[in-house]
Amino acid sequence: MSRTPILALHGGAGTIPSGSLTPELTDAYHAGIRAALEAGHAVLRAGGSALDAVTETVMSLEEEPLFNAGRGAVYTTAATHEMDAAVMDGATGRAGAIAGICGPRHPVLAARAVMEQTAHVFLAGEGAMAFCREIGLEFMDPAWFGTERRLDALRAELARRASGAADTRSDADRHGTVGAVALDAHGNLAAATSTGGLTAKTPGRVGDSPVIGAGTWADNATCAISATGQGELFIRVAAAHEIAARMRWGGQSLAEAADDVVNRVLAPIGGSGGLIAVDAAGNLALPFNCEGMYRGFVGADGGFRSAIHREDWRVRQALSR
Ligand code: ASP
């Protein structure tokens, strides 16, 4: 049965003070979201798989230095980058994840290779890097991932910690993540997430993004999810899997389950953030419990929509098919 493909993405959530976004920067974020939607939706329009679509979408976001994934990743306290990523295929239940790597141009491709080329689900650190080299992934110099903006954020945070001053940073300076979820014409779901994690994180720290069931999940019977926010809290409540479990066992709709997890499970324990979700019927949910979430989607009408705060959607009508 041929279904209308659906694609959604996020580029991180949190406090995004309107004053910190110049009109130029706002346009640049919308353009980055739009370009990634176009890359992923082209795959779906051509009859490609949800797995390929979310991979392409995340690769586009990893390439855009505005987002904290791939190029533009934040720094650890040691002024290094440690990137995490995951993919999950809802049709087969297979998943792949990678943590603590710096080198592969596209961490999402490393995660996908773990899924497709190993007997494992999750590789981390040195072994993960050796695997990425062995299979010939494209590598970039560590400096290629860095940006002045992220370095400034690291310096400011280290100075703040040394002075003991209160933490008044916007979440855009603290963290961020990119992710995509899709339903393809064949009725299959997939999710992918990629991140540099938290600014000034302890080397070795791994967040929720690559943890299957926390920041990433896909299962044709329920939904595909990619999360963003304070990763420790998303891990503790197995946020993405909690949504799938509520749908599967509790009979909740995608909208109810996603909203409950973001606003009733995560918010009360300080789990600031949001997520994007799509179910097998093509319903979408993009809840967040903070000021904003960089996000976009292409729904059943084929229009391209992008937003940052609550009600600032920009719409471009469907590309000719
Ligand atoms: N969830 C990510 C992490 O904890 C950060 C984010 O999404 O902003 O690594």
Side-chain angles (χ1 to χ4, degrees):
M1 183 176 60
S2 182
R3 315 195 66 120
T4 306
I6 307 283
L7 176 69
L9 68 78
H10 70 77
T15 50
I16 308 169
S18 302
S20 70
L21 286 176
T22 61
E24 294 72 29
L25 199 50
T26 304
D27 288 348
Y29 275 112
H30 281 278
I33 293 169
R34 211 50 82 74
L37 285 176
E38 267 157 29
H41 201 253
V43 173
L44 294 172
R45 280 200 310 279
S49 70
L51 186 61
D52 284 342
V54 295
T55 306
E56 282 293 333
T57 305
V58 167
M59 285 173 69
S60 172
L61 293 165
E62 286 177 339
E63 200 74 9
E64 169 54 69
L66 284 174
F67 301 109
N68 173 23
R71 193 173 193 198
V74 300
Y75 290 89
T76 68
T77 51
T80 54
H81 303 289
E82 293 188 357
M83 288 166 256
D84 307 332
V87 294
M88 189 159 182
D89 179 12
T92 60
R94 291 190 310 160
I98 201 118
I101 59 166
C102 180
R105 179 173 190 149
H106 290 293
V108 71
L109 290 183
R112 187 153 168 185
V114 172
M115 178 175 95
E116 291 177 336
Q117 300 183 42
T118 78
H120 309 302
V121 167
F122 205 158
L123 294 183
E126 273 315 305
M129 288 288 286
F131 166 72
C132 292
R133 277 191 209 98
E134 245 166 59
I135 61 166
L137 284 183
E138 183 181 4
F139 268 60
M140 303 305 278
D141 190 75
W144 182 81
F145 296 93
T147 59
E148 267 312 304
R149 174 183 167 211
R150 301 298 188 194
L151 204 50
D152 287 348
L154 173 68
R155 289 193 191 110
E157 174 56 9
L158 294 180
R160 182 195 71 78
R161 288 182 189 177
S163 75
D167 189 353
T168 56
R169 291 174 295 161
S170 75
D171 286 332
D173 288 333
R174 282 177 222 247
H175 54 79
T177 287
V178 308
V181 294
L183 167 69
D184 65 28
H186 317 286
N188 293 320
L189 297 174
T193 311
S194 178
T195 190
L198 310 181
T199 296
K201 65 184 178 181
T202 302
R205 179 263 185 193
V206 178
D208 61 316
S209 309
V211 177
I212 300 302
T216 304
W217 182 257
D219 170 9
N220 274 7
T222 53
C223 58
I225 310 271
S226 174
T228 176
Q230 188 63 45
E232 282 70 10
L233 284 306
F234 283 68
I235 294 174
R236 284 203 230 154
V237 301
H241 187 268
E242 173 72 15
I243 294 170
R246 281 166 180 258
M247 293 175 70
R248 187 190 289 262
W249 307 114
Q252 285 194 317
S253 68
L254 179 79
E256 286 165 347
D259 190 67
D260 275 1
V261 168
V262 167
N263 291 306
R264 294 179 189 217
V265 176
L266 285 162
I269 57 169
S272 150
L275 53 86
I276 52 170
V278 62
D279 69 14
N283 296 303
L284 271 171
L286 299 88
F288 52 97
N289 60 25
C290 44
E291 210 169 304
M293 178 165 77
Y294 301 102
R295 62 203 185 281
F297 69 91
V298 187
D301 68 0
F304 285 61
R305 292 175 170 78
S306 55
I308 301 175
H309 292 102
R310 293 250 164 223
E311 294 302 337
D312 56 353
W313 287 99
R314 293 189 185 179
V315 187
R316 205 197 58 216
Q317 58 200 13
L319 297 176
S320 55
R321 292 181 208 195

